[in-house]
Amino acid sequence: MLSNPIVQSLFWSAVTICFYLLAKRIHGRWRHGWLTPVLLTPVLLLLPVLLLHESYQDYIRGTGWLLALLGPTTVAFAVPIYEQRAVIRKHWPVLAVGALAGSLTAIASSYALASALGLDGQLRLSLLPRSISTPFAMTMSGDIGGIPDLTAVFVVITGVTGGILGEVLLLRLRVRSSLAKGAAMGMGAHGVGTAKAQELGREEGSFAGLVMVLVGLLNVLAAPLLSWCLH
């Protein structure tokens, strides 16, 4: 039945969307970090993939249009930046220095982690953009010679880990500034961190979303320079 490309696309798209909605309901009922939809949905999808003996290539071929939606999503990020223009004008030196320092730290730590794990070549390059949101990370990964699909996995792992540990660290470090809390969550855990920051407060959520977008744009713009340095 799934040998037909149209049926295959409809089937896997429907299964993916249904499992995502189910994951959202589960996370809404039990708000544990390890139940976040970006982590739970792929786990749920493993069952039908294994039962039907489908390959990753078959799955991604049927759901490629969902991945293509990441492009318009990237453009939509311009909206929150425009809405937060007053905040940017007021705090731009802190935000600029924070985004630059955070990006350099993320790339350097990713490089060190890849070296410690014995990863090199495309695997190392795929790991470097792990600390920015998926649309930017996949674009940057392709620009520097990584594997965008693999980078998306690293992004999810980083986001979920940061979302779980971020709030604990902020409490332990006694961070009280809404700007610092939001910026840290947006920088360290991108989309998942922004969702977590929204739970802390409206200002924290706004700062997290703003930093997430600024860091993503900064990394994509810097990708050609990074690629030149690495090759």
Side-chain angles (χ1 to χ4, degrees):
M1 178 184 71
L2 295 182
S3 59
N4 184 307
I6 296 177
V7 175
Q8 184 184 58
S9 179
L10 290 173
F11 176 79
W12 285 118
S13 297
V15 169
T16 301
I17 293 171
C18 287
F19 278 174
Y20 176 76
L21 294 175
L22 175 62
K24 282 195 68 175
R25 289 182 66 87
I26 293 174
H27 186 247
R29 178 66 177 82
W30 297 284
R31 303 193 69 82
H32 300 296
W34 51 275
L35 289 178
T36 186
V38 295
L39 181 64
L40 184 57
T41 304
V43 174
L44 294 173
L45 281 168
L46 281 176
L47 181 61
V49 168
L50 293 175
L51 288 176
L52 295 172
H53 304 289
E54 289 288 290
S55 65
Y56 171 76
Q57 287 73 21
D58 292 332
Y59 171 78
I60 203 65
R61 189 164 47 244
T63 58
W65 67 275
L66 290 172
L67 199 61
L69 291 178
L70 290 175
T73 302
T74 305
V75 176
F77 282 156
V79 176
I81 290 181
Y82 179 77
E83 291 177 344
Q84 298 294 333
R85 59 192 182 282
V87 176
I88 295 176
R89 278 197 295 268
K90 184 177 179 180
H91 299 291
W92 73 264
V94 175
L95 291 170
V97 172
L100 181 60
S103 297
L104 292 174
T105 302
I107 292 173
S109 62
S110 299
Y111 193 94
L113 177 62
S115 299
L117 295 175
L119 304 179
D120 54 15
Q122 279 192 308
L123 289 179
R124 185 202 300 272
L125 296 175
S126 302
L127 185 63
L128 296 187
R130 67 182 173 86
S131 292
I132 56 178
S133 58
T134 306
F136 295 115
M138 294 183 73
T139 300
M140 181 178 175
S141 179
D143 288 346
I144 64 176
I147 306 170
D149 291 345
L150 186 57
T151 297
V153 176
F154 292 143
V155 168
V156 171
I157 294 173
T158 301
V160 172
T161 304
I164 293 173
L165 299 180
E167 188 176 1
V168 177
L169 286 175
L170 291 176
L171 287 173
R172 290 292 181 90
L173 296 174
R174 299 181 180 179
V175 178
R176 293 184 173 82
S177 164
S178 58
L179 171 60
K181 288 181 182 177
M185 296 299 286
M187 179 67 241
H190 35 79
V192 178
T194 299
K196 196 68 180 177
Q198 290 283 0
E199 297 176 5
L200 300 177
R202 187 172 181 178
E203 282 195 344
E204 285 85 346
S206 296
F207 286 128
L210 180 60
V211 168
M212 178 186 71
V213 175
L214 288 177
V215 169
L217 290 172
L218 177 64
N219 278 263
V220 169
L221 292 174
L225 175 62
L226 180 62
S227 179
W228 179 77
C229 293
L230 293 172
H231 294 88

